[in-house]
Amino acid sequence: MRVKKEDMVVVTKGEYRGKTGKVLKVFHKKGTLIVEGVNFVKRHTKPTQTRQQGGILEKEAAVSASNVMIYCANCARGVKVGLRVLPDGSRARYCKRCGELLG
Ligand SMILES: [Zn+2]
């Protein structure tokens, strides 16, 4: 999985198709991730000391990593990402469309 926390991604499938958001969490084992503002689900909560009333809380649920693409700011769209080895030996991801390094 080439998506990392803090990446901007575009949803390519389902109800949130076309929506861009920041990756908040990555679950590598499951191959899923949480994207800010994407895939809201309602959760029923019980009253707590900090929240007087229980009720319905909307929270992002994980989406499959195969349903998102990395967003390239240069291309202004979701793109395929390749890996490139830099002169110092570290690996960087790059946009296969425009060649821009994505970090
Ligand atoms: Zn690009």
Side-chain angles (χ1 to χ4, degrees), residues 71-77 79 94-100 102:
Y71 180 80
C72 172
N74 203 26
C75 299
R77 55 178 279 179
V79 295
Y94 70 95
C95 167
K96 279 190 171 173
R97 194 162 184 268
C98 69
E100 186 91 346
L102 300 166

